[in-house]
């Protein structure tokens, strides 16, 4: 991390990745505010046009302990959704990414095509989120073909 001083503010900058190839998180240590950028969404379906889900999940794991400073939860400004305290948005984002990744892996292993996947039901915990189902459909359209290709590879050629 890089630490900058601007006036009376101590700002910590962290480079993470997953939502994009280079996600910047800014932590204002003076006020206790975290600007989480695209890594954290709250009450909204995350956008994934440049996403790498495993790296994104790893970045959330790295970010989670930073949301507690001096034993108190920090205020989080997510990419989209309400400002909140602590891990609320981070936990929602993680839950969504795990569910989405599992849905795509399991569907590809079962041989489902994208059309079938687009009509799959969404768990109730996500159904009321903003940008639903548009962002889910966009994510599936962008990310699912790589899961289909991986499922079609002979087992010996899989990573």
């Amino acid at each position: 991390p890089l630490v900058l001083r601007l006036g009376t503010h101590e700002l910590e900058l962290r480079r993470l990745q997953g939502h994009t190839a280079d996600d910047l998180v800014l932590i204002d240590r003076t006020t206790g505010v975290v600007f989480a950028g695209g890594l954290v969404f709250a009450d909204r379906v995350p956008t994934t046009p440049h996403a790498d889900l495993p790296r994104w999940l790893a970045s959330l794991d790295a970010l989670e302990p930073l949301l507690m400073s001096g034993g108190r939860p920090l205020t989080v400004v997510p990419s989209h959704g309400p400002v909140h305290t602590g891990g609320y948005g981070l936990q929602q984002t993680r839950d969504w990414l795990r569910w989405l990744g599992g849905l795509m892996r399991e569907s590809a292993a079962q041989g489902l095509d994208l059309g079938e996947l687009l009509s799959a039901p969404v768990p109730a915990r996500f159904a009321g989120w903003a940008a639903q189902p548009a962002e889910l459909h966009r994510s599936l359209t962008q990310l699912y073909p790589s899961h289909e290709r991986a499922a079609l590879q002979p087992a010996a050629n899989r990573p």
Side-chain angles (χ1 to χ4, degrees):
L2 173 66
V3 177
L4 300 174
R5 290 199 178 276
L6 291 173
T8 60
H9 292 269
E10 181 178 291
L11 305 175
E12 179 180 331
L13 284 71
R14 294 223 174 216
R15 289 180 71 183
L16 298 171
Q17 56 187 299
H19 179 249
T20 68
D22 199 8
D23 295 300
L24 178 65
V25 173
L26 185 141
I27 303 166
D28 184 337
R29 293 288 178 197
T30 307
T31 62
V33 175
V34 177
F35 297 89
L39 291 173
V40 175
F41 288 71
D43 299 334
R44 188 197 192 277
V45 178
T47 59
T48 60
H50 307 288
D52 179 321
L53 300 189
R55 285 187 174 148
W56 195 343
L57 288 165
S59 287
L60 292 175
D61 291 344
L63 181 58
E64 189 168 31
L66 300 175
L67 298 182
M68 293 295 288
S69 176
R72 66 179 175 90
L74 300 180
T75 299
V76 178
V77 179
S79 175
H80 292 82
V83 173
H84 56 275
T85 301
Y88 174 77
L90 184 143
Q91 292 161 6
Q92 283 188 331
T93 304
R94 180 186 288 134
D95 187 22
W96 174 264
L97 296 177
R98 286 179 177 163
W99 173 78
L100 179 65
L103 173 69
M104 291 188 293
R105 280 188 306 277
E106 292 164 17
S107 297
Q110 295 171 16
L112 298 180
D113 66 26
L114 181 58
E116 293 171 300
L117 197 54
L118 289 170
S119 63
V122 174
R125 66 189 186 272
F126 305 131
W129 285 5
Q132 184 70 273
E135 284 298 339
L136 170 61
H137 292 171
R138 187 168 93 151
S139 292
L140 292 173
T141 301
Q142 293 168 336
L143 301 175
Y144 190 59
S146 65
H147 285 69
E148 289 178 303
R149 282 190 299 277
L152 292 172
Q153 286 182 349
N157 294 337
R158 291 186 193 156

